[in-house]
Amino acid sequence: MRLSRTASWFLLAFGVWSWFIWVSFVRNLWKNGSGLAFDAAGDPTSYFWVHLTLAVTSFLLGTAVGLIGLRSVLALRRSSRADGVERTDGTDHPDRGAPA
């Protein structure tokens, strides 16, 4: 299966966004001083564990999606170089004509 150039870049951008958002979220969760994430003794609460699990799961899924996008972008570049032509007509594949 081939992904379009637009879909490939979108998936890659989503993966980068996921790294930024979820790493920031965990950092903020760790520094939380409101009493939600840590109790008075400094031990993690269930709020902390649920949100950490959510963040780690989302981070891993975002990483997987980003890797799919990266692999697709690299494959499209290899394909265009192998054809010897850089596509400028908006198509991602040499066998397809320009969009109508």
Side-chain angles (χ1 to χ4, degrees):
M1 179 177 142
R2 288 187 87 152
L3 296 174
S4 70
R5 186 176 313 275
T6 303
S8 301
W9 279 106
F10 175 78
L11 294 176
L12 180 58
F14 182 85
V16 170
W17 176 84
S18 181
W19 271 67
F20 174 74
I21 291 298
W22 292 110
V23 168
S24 298
F25 180 83
V26 169
R27 188 178 315 124
N28 291 334
L29 181 65
W30 198 267
K31 294 179 188 176
N32 185 305
S34 69
L36 288 173
F38 297 97
D39 61 16
D43 296 324
T45 63
S46 57
Y47 175 90
F48 174 83
W49 292 115
V50 166
H51 285 83
L52 182 64
T53 302
L54 169 71
V56 169
T57 301
S58 297
F59 176 76
L60 292 174
L61 290 173
T63 300
V65 167
L67 287 174
I68 291 168
L70 177 64
R71 289 182 56 166
S72 182
V73 166
L74 294 175
L76 287 169
R77 286 189 178 180
R78 280 192 302 273
S79 172
S80 67
R81 285 190 186 135
D83 296 336
V85 176
E86 197 63 38
R87 304 301 293 177
T88 59
D89 60 0
T91 62
D92 294 331
H93 193 275
D95 296 336
R96 294 186 212 138

